[in-house]
Amino acid sequence: MKQLTKIVLIIAGSISLALGLLGIILPLLPTTPLLLLAAACYVRSSSRLYEWLITNKYFGSYIENYRSGKGIPLKAKVIGVSVLWLSMGYTILNVVPLVIVKLLLFCTALFFSWFILKQKTLHKTER
C-alpha cells in the first residue's frame, strides 16, 4: 500500500506541475499554488523529484521563497496582475457575450489580483 501511495503522489504532483506550468500562460490557472502542491506531493513521495523542482532555475526560487515566508518578487506580482487583467479584459470585452459570465470573470480576476497582491513582497536584498 505504501508503494501505491507513493505512485499516486508522484502522479498527482506531476499533473499539478503540468497545470502550474500551463498557468504561466493561462491566467485562470493559479501557478504558485499548483507548484506548491507539486512540491508537497513530491516531498512525500520522491526526494529526487522534490530536489529537482525546488532547484529548477526557472521556478524553484519562487517555491522556496514562498514556502520560507520570504514572499513573491515585485516583478512577478506586477507581471502576474498585468497579464491577468490584460487577458481577462480582452476576454470580457471581446469574447464572452453573456453578462453573468463577464461578471464571473471580473470577480475571478479581482480575487486572484487580491491574492497575489496580499502576499509578502520579496525585495532584491532578501534573495
Side-chain angles (χ1 to χ4, degrees), residues 3-5 10-11 36 38-40 56-57 63-64 86 100 115:
Q3 189 66 21
L4 179 62
T5 303
I10 289 173
I11 291 169
L36 292 173
N56 183 283
K57 71 178 183 175
I63 296 169
E64 266 309 301
L86 284 172
I100 190 73
F115 180 81

Side-chain angles (χ1 to χ4, degrees), residues 112-127:
F112 282 108
S113 296
W114 167 80
F115 180 81
I116 291 168
L117 295 173
K118 81 172 184 120
Q119 302 303 311
K120 184 178 176 182
T121 301
L122 175 67
H123 300 284
K124 289 183 179 183
T125 57
E126 296 178 56
R127 292 182 187 173

Side-chain angles (χ1 to χ4, degrees), residues 63-103:
I63 296 169
E64 266 309 301
N65 290 332
Y66 184 85
R67 290 187 72 193
S68 66
K70 291 180 183 177
I72 301 171
L74 181 60
K75 182 179 177 182
K77 285 183 170 187
V78 170
I79 291 171
V81 172
S82 298
V83 169
L84 172 70
W85 281 103
L86 284 172
S87 59
M88 284 295 210
Y90 178 81
T91 303
I92 290 168
L93 296 174
N94 299 313
V95 176
V96 177
L98 299 172
V99 175
I100 190 73
V101 177
K102 290 181 182 203
L103 183 60

Side-chain angles (χ1 to χ4, degrees), residues 13-83:
S14 299
I15 291 170
S16 180
L17 175 62
L19 290 174
L21 294 176
L22 278 175
I24 294 170
I25 301 165
L26 304 172
L28 289 179
L29 285 174
T31 302
T32 302
L34 289 167
L35 292 177
L36 292 173
L37 177 60
C41 290
Y42 288 162
V43 78
R44 288 169 179 78
S45 61
S46 171
S47 58
R48 184 177 58 85
L49 288 172
Y50 177 73
E51 286 299 317
W52 171 83
L53 184 64
I54 64 169
T55 58
N56 183 283
K57 71 178 183 175
Y58 297 110
F59 44 80
S61 63
Y62 289 101
I63 296 169
E64 266 309 301
N65 290 332
Y66 184 85
R67 290 187 72 193
S68 66
K70 291 180 183 177
I72 301 171
L74 181 60
K75 182 179 177 182
K77 285 183 170 187
V78 170
I79 291 171
V81 172
S82 298
V83 169

